[in-house]
Amino acid sequence: MSERAKKKLKMQFGFIIIFIFIIGVQLIVKNYFVNHPPAWTTGLYISCFIIFCILGLLTYLDLKKQEQFVTIGQIVDVKKDTNIIIVKGLGRGHRKILIKDSHILSMMQPDQRIEITRLKYTGMITRKVYRDQELQL
């Protein structure tokens, strides 16, 4: 998996943990300062908070180990001024893909094939191969 994909997964994990932490703090603080709840609810809140943290961790691990799909797409259009190619065959409709290698971009022509590796759930591109040469992400 590329560095960009790893960085995005770490960011998603961080957002999951922050979200769960904020919800847990709001529930605990609201009930302690307003209602003075019975003792059994404290255990309930803490166990729910731990369960949410475990579910967030499982979601992160599932995203990290998700399958990658290799798709062969057909180049529809090459926009050299914006370093973007439009590819058909990556799901519904056409998809714009940014290419950082400008010398390879100048060689690309419509109706040629490009191999794209994407993640299953997020659809994020992890690898691009054009004429047996891997492109930068």
Side-chain angles (χ1 to χ4, degrees), residues 99-113:
I99 304 291
K100 293 184 180 178
D101 296 331
S102 58
H103 68 281
I104 294 177
L105 184 71
S106 62
M107 296 186 322
M108 291 182 175
Q109 299 296 326
D111 297 330
Q112 291 180 334
R113 305 268 182 219

Side-chain angles (χ1 to χ4, degrees), residues 23-37 45:
I23 288 175
V25 167
Q26 285 179 347
L27 289 174
I28 292 170
V29 168
K30 175 188 161 227
N31 284 324
Y32 273 115
F33 290 126
V34 176
N35 297 351
H36 301 294
Y45 286 134

Side-chain angles (χ1 to χ4, degrees), residues 1-14 60 63-66 68 119 122 124-126 137:
M1 194 178 294
S2 70
E3 292 296 321
R4 182 174 172 213
K6 288 179 184 177
K7 186 186 291 185
K8 188 165 184 175
L9 287 174
K10 286 180 184 176
M11 185 177 67
Q12 288 175 346
F13 178 66
Y60 169 74
L63 284 173
K64 190 174 180 180
K65 292 182 179 181
Q66 68 177 312
Q68 295 188 13
L119 297 177
T122 60
M124 193 173 94
I125 296 173
T126 59
L137 289 176

Side-chain angles (χ1 to χ4, degrees), residues 16-17 19-25 27-28 31 40-57:
I16 289 169
I17 294 299
F19 178 71
I20 290 171
F21 181 75
I22 289 172
I23 288 175
V25 167
L27 289 174
I28 292 170
N31 284 324
W40 64 270
T41 58
T42 304
L44 181 66
Y45 286 134
I46 291 173
S47 62
C48 287
F49 183 71
I50 290 172
I51 288 171
F52 279 132
C53 288
I54 290 171
L55 288 175
L57 181 63

Side-chain angles (χ1 to χ4, degrees), residues 4-5 8-9 12 63 66-69 71 90-91 95-97 116-128 137:
R4 182 174 172 213
K8 188 165 184 175
L9 287 174
Q12 288 175 346
L63 284 173
Q66 68 177 312
E67 296 178 36
Q68 295 188 13
F69 289 116
T71 307
L90 299 176
R95 187 168 185 166
K96 294 179 182 178
I97 298 175
I116 305 290
T117 304
R118 299 179 299 149
L119 297 177
K120 180 179 179 181
Y121 299 117
T122 60
M124 193 173 94
I125 296 173
T126 59
R127 188 169 173 237
K128 304 172 200 166
L137 289 176

